[in-house]
Amino acid sequence: LAAPVELVQFTSGPAVPGLGPGTPRCPLVDVASASNFSCFQLRHLHLDLRLNFAVKEMSGWMVLDLVPVQPGVHILVLDSHPSLLIHSIDCKVPGAGPEEPISLTYRVDPFTDYGSSLNISLPPAAKPGHLIQITVRYSTTDGPAIWWLDPELTCGQSRPLVFTQGHSVCNRSFFPGFDTPAVKSTYTATVRVPDGVTVLMSASRSSYSKQDRVFEFSMELPVPSYLVALVAGELQHVDVGPRSRVWAEPCLLSCAVKKLGGSVERWLGVAEELFGPYLWGRCDLVFLPPSFPIVAMENPCLTFIIASILESSEFLLIDVVHEIAHGWFGNAVTNATWEEMWLSEGLATYAQRRITTEAYGEAFTCLETAVRLDALHRQLRLLGDNNPVSRLQVKFEPGVNPSSLMNLFTYEKGFCFVAYLSQLSGDVRRFDCFLRDYISEFKFKSVVAQDLIDYFLTYFPELKDAAVSQREGLEFERWLSGSGPPLFEPDLSAGGALTRPVQDLCDLWRTSKAPNLQTLETFDLSAWSTFQIVLFLDRMLDLSPLPQDVMASLSGCYSSLFDGLNAEVQIRWLQMVVRNSFYPELPRVRAFLHKHTSRMYTVPLYDDLVAGVMKCVAVEIFNETQRRLHPNLRRTLQQILFQTGTSNQNQTSPTFTNQNVPALSILASSPSPSPPPCLTPFPQPVATATASPAAGTTIALRDVNVSA
């Protein structure tokens, strides 16, 4: 085979076919196809699949419409996966003679433990500027992107269900292709299913032939491969707005509709006033069983969200608004490389908070932000300020799974940088206009950080003239490549009426073993919001271990109240119970783990049980509940329980695949000078304290439950 053409390197500037205005500064070590995807323009992707629930298999074919853009390219390299079985590959070259397909030779090579390299020899008729159609016939079963649920793992427990989860690099086990956010295209799909199965996809149009049991989908706007998503099962819907409907299993649907009401259209309207028109037409949501491995995923036109979050209205609000924000930041304008994931998550978090500020007031947003920034600093205390994982711009070593970058820094440090840019602009409304024009300029493209910065300095020429990017201690380059805490944090004093009582109560418990009842009565936690109670419990967890008499007093004051609240509150209280070995409350831990089977509520508690003196209790509960856990989660918990020395290495991926996911390993460079003192995803249980790894070592961030 001819050697593949080198990837053309740009820092920014002229667009490359299939790419945005800026491409990555360095080779994409997470993408097998990086060796030559810039040699082609991907015009369109078509999938034709049949779902077989009996054998848990998807089979069919994929068609890529490609236009070579460079001469002398004889090899097409696609990202694939060992779980994806290739049956045959052929090619059509329209207008180049007979329309009969040409059979192509191919070779599958190892790439990393999360993918393979599919090398296809192209026919001589493939010429620059002329369309070729590559058809790959294949089947796939239990790859990292595809989650088959037996009936007992669904909410209704009567029919099986399957869904895909492509973020970050898992969709190469769903279909072969250019599995990188740098490449976007439109797509269509034909999906054949058994009777009684409803199929949904992240598509702008759909139709169904009942006679043939065939669903047809069309995404008419270009998207990267990780945003192609599918779910199939016993699903029903209710319209909740002119462009929004809620999908769920029948037993969940009424609860989901009641929780959301007409809020989705309200949030969309606020977002459009801030950032311009919503580009995707539909804004539907599908609630998935507890086996869904993350909190939510911003698949265009169809957000996937875990049903477990329905317990907490405030967390549900934040999760859905965050995914709506991705309609502009992440889906319309996408980070060209996973090494700059903050371009999606940091901007979406900022946009989420602008939406909630407009819809619910500044105090509410400041409270939620305080919870998240607390978690960020807690993470920094665990890892150390010099750990390279805290950089906004990271450089992966070969073989590192980009999914491992899903951490608080991507969201919250990225948010702080965007908030700093907003402050530099001098007025939040003026910055809203900037973001609106940024979306208009780069929509449906993939960008690097320099594209955002260049556009910002061009948009505000007075800031460029003032050399704000070089301000001592706040240099843009230091923001991007420096490790440690954010160089700036926004003023949260507008939330003081909500956060001050929380801190006052924490101080009371810290300075007094048993505060008197009269003093405690001034703090009515039953009137507090979920975020206030979460902030209180997170800060009390920071004080653990606590004396047993303090735990007894806390239990006497609050345990019954917490028992009647949502799972976000309960898990934090139960983490306090476990970390402080407070045995009188142990039955509540057992009851919680029997009830909740999602990763977001099981892994943190099992971690704490094993880290303390209650490992035997954890093993007993696991043995009682394991049949109700998804096999992937079961394997994770088995690692925690029985291989604690290595369990961290499978906890960092937001997709939590069947395969072991390597812990995040980043190339360390010279440490940045310590920044001057100054000041998510979504609130998650507090991390178990461990020794801080040295910079440059392999680390894992197991404690982060995130929305993508």
Side-chain angles (χ1 to χ4, degrees), residues 139-326:
S139 58
T140 184
T141 54
D142 198 23
I146 303 171
W147 294 66
W148 297 93
L149 304 188
D150 293 327
E152 58 268 24
L153 295 180
T154 66
C155 297
Q157 300 188 353
S158 60
R159 301 287 296 270
L161 184 143
V162 64
F163 63 83
T164 65
Q165 168 58 22
H167 196 290
S168 302
V169 289
C170 291
N171 262 359
R172 58 191 68 185
S173 69
F174 182 14
F175 54 87
F178 298 130
D179 196 10
T180 166
V183 176
K184 295 185 174 185
S185 76
T186 57
Y187 82 87
T188 49
T190 300
V191 185
R192 296 167 171 82
V193 293
D195 191 33
V197 174
T198 296
V199 184
L200 309 174
M201 291 192 74
S202 54
S204 48
R205 294 184 181 275
S206 63
S207 62
Y208 173 57
S209 169
K210 186 174 183 179
Q211 179 179 351
D212 300 324
R213 299 198 300 276
V214 172
F215 287 82
E216 302 274 359
F217 300 94
S218 174
M219 170 51 80
E220 298 160 326
L221 300 173
V223 295
S225 62
Y226 76 91
L227 291 178
V228 178
L230 174 150
V231 58
E234 186 182 15
L235 299 168
Q236 296 179 0
H237 75 271
V238 170
D239 288 340
V240 294
R243 47 186 165 171
S244 306
R245 65 179 39 158
V246 170
W247 291 88
E249 294 178 67
C251 59
L252 276 177
L253 187 58
S254 61
C255 174
V257 171
K258 182 179 178 181
K259 288 278 188 174
L260 285 170
S263 298
V264 177
E265 184 60 33
R266 179 189 179 193
W267 298 330
L268 279 170
V270 173
E272 288 185 312
E273 289 177 6
L274 293 170
F275 310 121
Y278 180 71
L279 301 168
W280 303 95
R282 301 293 307 175
C283 184
D284 298 339
L285 300 95
V286 57
F287 285 88
L288 298 176
S291 294
F292 188 57
I294 58 176
V295 179
M297 180 63 204
E298 69 272 16
N299 301 311
C301 305
L302 183 69
T303 290
F304 286 16
I305 188 163
I306 193 168
S308 308
I309 209 68
L310 286 168
E311 282 201 23
S312 171
S313 296
E314 291 178 40
F315 277 60
L316 175 65
L317 181 161
I318 293 297
D319 291 340
V320 175
V321 170
H322 183 85
E323 305 312 316
I324 285 175
H326 272 305

Side-chain angles (χ1 to χ4, degrees), residues 14 79 95 384 418 546:
D79 296 291
V418 179
L546 297 167

